[in-house]
Amino acid sequence: MTVVWVVVGVFVVVAGVAFGVVVRRGRVGEVGGDDSRAGRDARARQHRYEAERHGNQGDTWQRGRESGG
């Protein structure tokens, strides 16, 4: 029975430490202003890339339609 309690105790300690690490990492991200600025920059770059890609695909489709028609 003692072995069961030791195993349960170890499990609880490991789970508590893991929870603490996750909570701590989440709070570190909220405090830093650089992270949010970097995230906005990355999203803006991705949006521009997707918009350009979409436009290029549309141009290619139009050229194929005009030449085939």
Side-chain angles (χ1 to χ4, degrees), residues 1-66:
M1 188 66 178
T2 304
V3 173
V4 172
W5 286 113
V6 169
V7 170
V8 169
V10 169
F11 179 75
V12 168
V13 168
V14 169
V17 169
F19 181 76
V21 168
V22 169
V23 168
R24 185 180 218 184
R25 288 187 71 185
R27 288 187 182 166
V28 169
E30 292 174 0
V31 173
D34 293 337
D35 290 340
S36 62
R37 221 173 303 135
R40 281 194 306 269
D41 184 45
R43 284 188 296 275
R45 286 182 187 199
Q46 182 68 26
H47 188 272
R48 282 194 301 272
Y49 169 78
E50 290 172 358
E52 290 174 6
R53 182 84 173 140
H54 181 71
N56 290 341
Q57 288 176 347
D59 292 343
T60 302
W61 181 80
Q62 275 301 62
R63 282 195 303 270
R65 188 172 181 211
E66 291 170 359

